[in-house]
Amino acid sequence: MSMLRHPGTSETAEVFQHIALLYRDDDEYVTVCAAFVEEALARGDPALVAVPRRGGDLIRERLGPKSAAVAFRDMSVAGRNPGRIIPGVLLAFAAARPGRRVRIIGESIWSGRSSVEYPACAAHDALINVAFAGRPATVLCPYDVSRLDPAVIADAHRTHPLVRDGAGSRAGPAYADPLETAAAFDLPLPQPPCDAATCVFSEVGELPKVRAFLASQAASAGLGARRTTELLIAVNELATNTTEHTRGPGMLTVWAEGGSLVCQLDDTGRLADPLAGRVPPPDNATHGRGLLVVNELADLVRIHRHASGTGFRLHFDLVTR
């Protein structure tokens, strides 16, 4: 029996396994992660290591020549926006290998993550359980207990059905319904600064005005040309949805904060699907890709559903990481 398997089960009995690895130092991290990958290779399973660059270098070095058979992604880049990890990293890897069990190390939360990013990260970890339900996959999520806040570790117990630490592997003692857990991280967005620029619009014919407003704000903040184009595409997707699917006006608010240009769009719409923007629609679908585009382009996306509508907050880094 694998040391990472739920006691009394097998990988075929539990089609999808989602494990929180609570590690205390580099040696424990690299030992467990390398063993996880080696077991995948021994079984002939495709393996992906999606962790921040330093962790990937440690695992690659421990694996030695075996690392050539493993896919690596720098999560600090690929997962800069937690909302793009499921569609752009995890599901993309699994979908490219249909009919095969995949084994993935996905480290989405590390000590460099900010408090602004964290709710999106925790919601992501909960929603993995929904997005991968019934899929042949094992996802191992490392958490550095020596550096992360104890509240973060407590949340890891809530978002992972299985836990691995120095005491061994066991069922997550606090694991809860993943949709309810993700909803608990749908937190109110902090108020924009009082001097933030605003633009109100109601109809599709006003979208050129919205784009001109955004372009002006991006230029004033010093956002580069490529990122400005991506900003315009992302916000235009949201603003188009506002004009087509909601009643009443939309309000766009823009300001600079902490090295990012922040754009918040508030409207009266209700975003019911918790996986919107995280799971691609069927190939024949004519709608449903707008939030996927937004997640792909923005450096952070926070969404807050409230009694009078929905707020979408997008961050675009002013300096490319």
Side-chain angles (χ1 to χ4, degrees), residues 290-314:
L291 273 177
L292 285 168
V293 172
V294 172
N295 271 328
E296 179 61 29
L297 296 177
D299 292 304
L300 175 64
V301 177
R302 291 278 304 276
I303 300 174
H304 177 52
R305 303 159 179 84
H306 50 83
S308 57
T310 304
F312 302 85
R313 183 170 290 188
L314 282 56

Side-chain angles (χ1 to χ4, degrees), residues 248-263:
M251 174 177 284
L252 186 62
T253 309
V254 181
W255 69 98
E257 174 184 287
S260 295
L261 186 65
V262 185
C263 304

Side-chain angles (χ1 to χ4, degrees), residues 207-227:
L207 292 180
K209 176 185 75 173
V210 171
R211 292 191 292 269
F213 166 77
L214 280 170
S216 175
Q217 295 301 314
S220 296
L223 191 67
R226 179 181 64 83
R227 294 300 281 148

Side-chain angles (χ1 to χ4, degrees), residues 40 52 54 56 80 86 89 98 101 109 121 142 147 155 181 193 214 249 251 263 272 278 300 321:
R54 178 177 177 275
R80 170 74 181 95
I86 290 176
V89 179
R101 181 173 197 88
I109 298 175
C121 296
R147 296 185 179 184
D155 287 338
T181 300
L214 280 170
M251 174 177 284
C263 304
R278 297 178 189 266
L300 175 64
R321 299 192 179 194

